[in-house]
């Protein structure tokens, strides 16, 4: 099976976590795009969705799924999203598609975070994938210098502006042994909006696309 077929299998398996007559939290990325396609097949049973990016919002609307503003809802049962890396503690690196901040906000509201990944995303130690950090544009050089002090090698993601109007620094060469601490430390740097570590709020369930079918843990 190709990596995309594994993503698709994990994404469609996530439908079992979607309850009738609810609003579903929807993440961003190529794995989630498969999940949105799956949601389209059950759209008549849903109230609608809350989205973590302009790209996912457009795709949901194309399929006729109503998209609600997060500020207009009180609670969210489930949030379904992909990841760039995930470890055995269900801590993740996210933000390869620059959607990390809105993803972290929707994940914070949701009662349950279901992560959908192909099995290439499983790692023993987070950090081989460069850690995305969303930064206020005028703080970019300052934040980069502070990230160097934390032991990483930040690289400006040229040409990318987030849905929030900010920029991304991708931090290479981090060997992340304490993800919660690093998540907290990076968030303390003035000018950082969010970093792509999802450790303080990790996934509650993981659906892994494998050649033997989707596995839930
Ligand atoms: O900003 C993007 C998100 O965090 C994605 O969930 C993550 O990059 C995984 O994307 P994909 O499913 O395309 O591998």
């Amino acid at each position: 099976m190709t990596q995309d077929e594994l993503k698709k299998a994990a994404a469609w398996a996530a439908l079992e976590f979607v309850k009738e007559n609810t609003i579903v939290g929807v993440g961003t990325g190529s794995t989630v795009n498969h999940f949105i396609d799956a949601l389209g097949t059950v759209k008549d049973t849903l109230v609608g969705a809350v989205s973590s990016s302009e790209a996912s919002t457009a795709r949901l609307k194309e399929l006729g799924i109503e998209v609600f503003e997060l500020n207009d809802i009180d609670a969210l049962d489930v949030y379904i999203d992909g990841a760039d890396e995930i470890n055995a503690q269900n801590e993740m690196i996210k933000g390869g598609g620059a959607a990390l901040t809105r993803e972290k906000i929707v994940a914070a509201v949701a009662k349950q975070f279901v992560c959908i990944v192909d099995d290439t995303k499983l790692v023993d130690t987070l950090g081989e994938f460069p850690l995305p950090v969303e930064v206020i544009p005028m703080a970019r050089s300052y934040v980069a210098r502070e990230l160097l002090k934390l032991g990483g090698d930040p690289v400006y993601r040229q040409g990318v502006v987030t849905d929030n109007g900010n920029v991304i620094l991708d931090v290479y060469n981090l060997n992340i042994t304490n993800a919660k601490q690093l998540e907290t430390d990076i968030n303390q740097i003035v000018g950082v909006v969010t970093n792509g570590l999802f450790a303080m709020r990790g996934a509650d369930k993981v659906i892994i696309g494998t050649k033997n079918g989707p596995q839930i843990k």
Side-chain angles (χ1 to χ4, degrees), residues 44-185:
D44 295 337
T45 70
L46 297 175
V47 177
V50 165
S51 166
S52 65
S53 64
E54 301 298 340
S56 289
T57 296
R59 204 171 173 103
L60 286 158
K61 286 183 174 171
E62 266 170 36
L63 291 176
I65 298 169
E66 188 170 355
V67 179
F68 292 83
E69 292 293 327
L70 187 64
N71 285 321
D72 292 337
I73 64 165
D74 299 327
L76 196 58
D77 275 332
V78 68
Y79 176 62
I80 314 275
D81 199 359
D84 298 301
E85 282 185 348
I86 184 163
N87 67 15
Q89 290 73 48
N90 293 354
E91 298 169 331
M92 296 160 279
I93 286 183
K94 294 179 47 52
L100 60 162
T101 298
R102 294 190 186 192
E103 292 178 341
K104 204 174 269 198
I105 294 167
V106 183
V109 175
K111 290 194 191 92
Q112 187 179 40
F113 184 148
V114 178
C115 180
I116 49 177
V117 287
D118 65 85
D119 58 8
T120 67
K121 307 286 186 68
L122 307 180
V123 297
D124 291 329
T125 306
L126 296 171
E128 194 171 313
F129 191 93
L131 177 65
V133 180
E134 180 165 351
V135 177
I136 301 288
M138 71 170 285
R140 175 167 57 91
S141 298
Y142 168 71
V143 171
R145 290 193 294 275
E146 294 299 304
L147 289 168
L148 274 171
K149 291 181 195 165
L150 290 178
D153 294 317
V155 174
Y156 174 39
R157 202 184 294 180
Q158 297 276 354
V160 170
V161 177
T162 70
D163 286 349
N164 314 305
N166 298 314
V167 297
I168 298 284
L169 294 172
D170 291 307
V171 190
Y172 288 76
N173 301 321
L174 288 170
N175 181 38
I176 303 172
T177 50
N178 188 339
K180 290 187 180 68
Q181 188 63 53
L182 187 63
E183 181 177 358
T184 305
D185 290 348

